[in-house]
Amino acid sequence: MAQVWEISDGSSTVDLINASVTGIDTVHEGYSRPNIDLGLNESGRIVERWRFVIKGSDQDNAASQLQSLIKLIRKAKEFQESIWRTKQVYLKQQAKTETNARFALIFEVTGLQAIDPFAASLEENSVVGTFQMTIVREHPWRSGAPGVLGSALTLDASDGPASPTLVHVANFRDNEDADSIYVDDGGVFSSNRASTAAFDLFPSTPVANDALYVGSAAPWKHIIFNLGTAANWNVVIAVEYYDGTSFTNTATTQGIQWTSFNKTKGLHDANDLFDTTGQWAFNWFPPSNWATVSVNSQTKYWVRFRLSTVTSSTAVPANATVEPYSQSSPHVAIPAASIKGDSPPLFNIR
């Protein structure tokens, strides 16, 4: 594997270890390898002082190489001091037995002592002369070029099925899963839909007091539906819980006892629940008097979505693709293999 040592801004690149007839080189017959003096200052920056050999086919060629290098040096300083410069200048290095290249942002280059290529005479092997400079770079090395965004990662779902490409993140840890979901059609209950991807959330011909029940053996806080069919109806929805006596005497208020979110719908009222496709996150704040009760022979902590009034309906909401799930982690777990390099990762959750 060939060595790599370059200064670049992503568009213009100067090779600092070019062993060909013309170019800048750190190693040449008659010249010792550069003596690297490393000093780590209070800003966490590395200072490196290097001596180079410049080889050219003629004086014009040598001057062109130095000019390209000086332009990049100027760009590096301007990027730190000016807001109009958009490209970062960086070092790229890779040793002969190193698997991947490493990168470091250049803050400035000082102490450039360059020859006058027009005054110099070409020596043996096209050597024009030597020059040296001091590079101030960041520490530690990066695994990618500065200023280049990595490819967006689609992470696996957290605490839910593996197929969603977007998942919700809870704002606190929750150990409970809403594991029981029943559709009440006039007192006739469906089978448990908690592990079912495609099902209607309400009877196909809904009437008043039909309901969707969601429950768990312990107090729960989140349930997420993935709607493939949006509701097209004119209804009034009551969100209710059992307080030890009944469901209907405990009216709840959106924004106090519960909230819901659909990224397309945005703000909405209770009667707009489920009228847009996509993910619906229902968030429940357990009241102190929430009690268990038997529904369809299952004693659970239940929340029910009851149709208190049905004026018209041409389509009921239907879950699709992914079974409902409870998001219970207030964090996103990023697989170690997804983050390259050993420096602290910087990422944006979209």
Side-chain angles (χ1 to χ4, degrees):
M1 184 181 298
Q3 284 184 282
V4 176
W5 190 15
E6 300 172 347
I7 291 182
S8 179
D9 65 353
S11 298
S12 301
T13 299
V14 172
D15 190 345
L16 298 177
I17 194 166
N18 189 338
S20 62
V21 175
T22 62
I24 298 172
D25 193 5
T26 58
V27 182
H28 182 70
E29 293 180 8
Y31 295 92
S32 62
R33 287 182 175 272
N35 179 27
I36 310 174
D37 183 9
L38 300 181
L40 186 62
N41 66 16
E42 67 278 1
S43 301
R45 299 178 179 182
I46 288 289
V47 179
E48 298 181 348
R49 286 179 281 276
W50 287 89
R51 188 181 184 209
F52 299 90
V53 174
I54 185 167
K55 296 177 290 184
S57 57
D58 52 41
Q59 272 80 6
D60 290 337
N61 175 255
S64 176
Q65 295 179 61
L66 281 174
Q67 185 179 44
S68 297
L69 177 62
I70 292 170
K71 284 182 178 179
L72 283 174
I73 291 172
R74 184 180 297 116
K75 286 181 180 180
K77 189 172 182 62
E78 288 173 346
F79 182 85
Q80 303 299 325
E81 298 179 350
S82 306
I83 61 173
W84 56 270
R85 182 68 74 182
T86 59
K87 290 185 177 180
Q88 297 167 299
V89 179
Y90 55 87
L91 277 177
K92 177 182 178 181
Q93 288 190 5
Q94 185 173 3
K96 288 184 178 180
T97 58
E98 194 171 4
T99 304
N100 298 305
R102 51 199 149 80
F103 303 81
L105 175 66
I106 295 177
F107 295 103
E108 63 176 333
V109 176
T110 63
L112 177 61
Q113 299 177 11
I115 62 170
D116 181 356
F118 299 108
S121 61
L122 292 176
E123 299 177 4
E124 184 182 358
N125 296 326
S126 304
V127 173
V128 178
T130 62
F131 70 95
Q132 59 186 8
M133 63 183 181
T134 299
I135 297 176
V136 182
R137 65 165 176 87
E138 68 178 343
H139 177 77
W141 292 95
R142 304 176 184 223
S143 59
V148 178
L149 294 178
S151 300
L153 299 174
T154 300
L155 303 177
D156 292 338
S158 301
D159 303 317
S163 55
T165 55
L166 294 173
V167 296
H168 293 267
V169 178
N171 58 1
F172 53 84
R173 182 172 62 85
D174 182 15
N175 293 327
E176 302 306 324
D177 181 20
D179 57 6
S180 299
I181 300 175
Y182 294 99
V183 179
D184 178 7
D185 185 359
V188 178
F189 288 89
S190 69
S191 60
N192 187 359
R193 304 300 196 190
S195 299
T196 304
F199 67 96
D200 291 342
L201 271 61
F202 292 88
S204 57
T205 304
V207 297
N209 294 321
D210 285 346
L212 172 70
Y213 284 83
V214 180
S216 179
W220 55 274
K221 303 177 183 69
H222 306 285
I223 184 70
I224 297 173
F225 298 95
N226 192 78
L227 264 60
T229 302
N232 186 3
W233 57 13
N234 183 357
V235 300
V236 175
I237 301 177
V239 179
E240 301 166 329
Y241 70 97
Y242 188 75
D243 68 350
T245 303
S246 70
F247 279 96
T248 54
N249 68 355
T250 51
T252 63
T253 302
Q254 183 180 15
I256 297 178
Q257 283 86 13
W258 63 273
T259 63
S260 61
F261 173 78
N262 173 276
K263 70 186 184 73
T264 300
K265 185 68 178 179
L267 294 175
H268 63 94
D269 60 39
N271 298 328
D272 290 339
L273 273 171
F274 312 129
D275 69 349
T276 303
T277 58
Q279 288 187 333
W280 279 89
F282 178 80
N283 311 295
W284 174 251
F285 306 100
S288 59
N289 62 344
W290 196 14
T292 60
V293 65
S294 178
V295 173
N296 194 30
S297 301
Q298 301 293 317
T299 300
K300 306 276 185 178
Y301 287 89
W302 295 103
V303 170
R304 75 177 182 184
F305 304 84
R306 182 174 62 89
L307 303 180
S308 60
T309 302
V310 178
T311 302
S312 63
S313 175
T314 59
V316 296
N319 199 77
T321 308
V322 178
E323 63 268 24
Y325 69 95
S326 297
Q327 171 61 29
S328 58
S329 294
H331 66 274
V332 174
I334 301 178
S338 297
I339 301 297
K340 306 301 181 185
D342 56 4
S343 60
L346 178 66
F347 60 94
N348 179 33
I349 298 179
R350 291 194 291 248

